[in-house]
Amino acid sequence: MTSRRRYRAVFLTGARRLEIRETELERVAPGEVVVRIEAATTCGTDVKVYRRGGHPRMLTPPCPFGHEMTGRIEAIGEAVPDWEVGTAVVVANSASCGRCPACDRGRENLCHDLLYLNGAFAELVVVPERFVRRSLHLRPTGLDPVVAALAEPLACVLHGLERMRIDPTAGADGSAGAALVLGAGPIGLMFSHLLAIAGWRVTLEDRHDDRLALARRLGARHARRPGEVASPAAGSDFAVTIDATGTPGGWERAIAAVASGGTVNLFGGCAPGTRLGLDATRVHYDEIALLGSYHHRPATFRRALDLLARADCPLDLLITRQAPLDGVAEALEEMSARRALKVAIVPSGDSSPAPGPADLSA
């Protein structure tokens, strides 16, 4: 493709500062494709990056922003034989090299040269050659674009469950025990739902009543505020505990609550430099397994799309509302204040083009 076209994209320019910039796309390089975004969802990582003005691994401002995306292929560069213009796709936000020791072991999320893709909050996104080869996925027929954009966080949750050797797609066989999930953000609610359909008796803790109510709708047997006294029926013998708060207190609570011989998934990422107090005696004598979980892999991304395409999948409940490109900052502020879980950014909902950089800072 050599014809020029202009499109709008949201740029992160600093802490709590966003702009809509009009960008000119002159050509598509060999191996690349251009995707017209149909939906992109906000996430907790976006909130942290927006507050801090950057991310040590993923992006440095000024830069395009957003990473959970789906759309249709609009243009294809040379040497891209397996895709066609108009195909509905979901773009994973990272691409592994496929050659390093981590990739050889099937641990692509730990790739020594993991590349990240940002720019989901835009009308168009250019998908680089490595992403086309390793991270471009066909969107299941009939899957709502707003729901399809949830594939990235769901893939992360599936990876976390695989680390715990739990397969929610295997069905409940009656052997699962009690599980505790800390935090009813989108990630915690996804964990809770998938554990429930795998047969676990899930207790979810959070401070917000509306999120606890949603947790019950998604299958949690018990949903309570931190510190509430559990009823005898709730059980406290948690074979698995998962922190989805990303706070030192959450990590310590997850470790303290797990039963002897249990497994703790420290999923929520704490701020860089965080140190944790640990009862080493209990970890040793009670044989507590402590697991870290980071990101997703191509296999879990494909499984996430399969799950979202199921007729009985209720995860659309995580989408609080939809917004146009100029609503990204407001959406992130709503998430920060716990007034929204996830917001779907739908570029086609915009009413007029921006004549120049538009300051969207809240």
Side-chain angles (χ1 to χ4, degrees):
M1 178 188 117
T2 57
S3 61
R4 298 185 179 188
R5 62 187 69 189
R6 299 182 71 82
Y7 67 96
R8 300 187 309 157
V10 174
F11 273 65
L12 177 71
T13 60
R16 276 190 156 90
R17 293 196 63 82
L18 302 177
E19 291 179 359
I20 285 185
R21 294 185 179 182
E22 194 166 284
T23 302
E24 185 171 74
L25 176 63
E26 297 185 8
R27 61 183 297 273
V28 183
E32 295 181 341
V33 304
V34 176
V35 171
R36 180 164 292 279
I37 299 296
E38 293 179 298
T41 43
T42 59
C43 82
T45 298
D46 293 332
V47 173
K48 289 190 289 186
V49 170
Y50 170 69
R51 287 172 173 170
R52 298 170 184 173
H55 189 284
R57 287 192 179 190
M58 297 182 186
L59 51 82
T60 302
C63 58
F65 194 34
H67 63 273
E68 300 177 7
M69 66 193 103
T70 185
R72 290 186 181 272
I73 294 178
E74 175 139 320
I76 298 176
E78 297 177 1
V80 182
D82 299 326
W83 296 98
E84 296 180 355
V85 170
T87 302
V89 294
V90 182
V91 188
N93 67 319
S94 67
S96 52
C97 72
R99 300 184 303 272
C100 69
C103 288
D104 287 343
R105 298 194 307 271
R107 305 290 294 275
E108 295 96 339
N109 60 310
L110 304 179
C111 173
H112 297 184
D113 184 32
L114 192 64
L115 302 182
Y116 296 94
L117 180 63
N118 295 283
F121 302 142
E123 293 170 330
L124 299 177
V125 64
V126 178
V127 183
E129 183 269 342
R130 187 196 286 185
F131 286 80
V132 174
R133 285 190 291 110
R134 301 185 61 80
S135 302
L136 191 61
H137 301 267
L138 188 67
R139 191 170 77 209
T141 301
L143 180 57
D144 186 329
V146 168
V147 178
L150 297 173
E152 194 275 339
L154 183 57
C156 295
V157 170
L158 286 169
H159 173 71
L161 291 174
E162 282 192 5
R163 294 275 290 142
M164 305 170 74
R165 304 193 179 190
I166 296 172
D167 182 3
T169 64
D173 61 4
S175 62
L180 173 68
V181 178
L182 303 177
I187 292 294
L189 290 167
M190 285 182 176
F191 266 118
S192 178
H193 173 64
L194 294 185
L195 285 166
I197 65 176
W200 290 81
R201 302 187 305 278
V202 180
T203 295
L204 189 144
E205 290 186 359
D206 194 86
R207 298 182 183 279
H208 299 86
D209 291 338
D210 56 339
R211 298 187 175 200
L212 295 177
L214 181 53
R216 296 184 190 99
R217 291 181 65 185
L218 290 172
R221 186 171 298 189
H222 306 282
R224 68 194 188 199
R225 288 173 169 266
E228 285 186 355
V229 177
S231 66
S236 58
D237 190 22
F238 297 115
V240 300
T241 61
I242 299 170
D243 173 70
T245 70
T247 64
W251 281 33
E252 291 172 357
R253 165 72 175 136
I255 295 170
V258 75
S260 299
T263 299
V264 180
N265 190 324
L266 302 169
F267 185 94
C270 295
T274 299
R275 295 291 183 266
L276 190 68
L278 187 66
D279 184 347
T281 299
R282 178 156 194 258
V283 170
H284 175 73
Y285 286 102
D286 286 352
E287 292 191 344
I288 305 302
L290 304 180
L291 297 177
S293 293
Y294 172 67
H295 206 49
H296 54 74
R297 299 175 291 104
T300 56
F301 205 98
R302 289 189 292 269
R303 290 182 65 209
L305 285 170
D306 290 341
L307 275 172
L308 291 170
R310 285 171 39 167
D312 60 350
C313 179
L315 294 180
D316 60 306
L317 295 172
L318 300 179
I319 304 295
T320 302
R321 64 180 182 88
Q322 298 184 19
L325 285 181
D326 60 7
V328 174
E330 181 182 1
L332 297 177
E333 293 291 350
E334 286 180 348
M335 290 179 65
S336 184
R338 302 297 192 269
R339 296 194 304 271
L341 280 168
K342 294 181 82 71
V343 176
I345 305 302
V346 181
S348 62
D350 291 319
S351 58
S352 60
D359 191 341
L360 306 181
S361 304

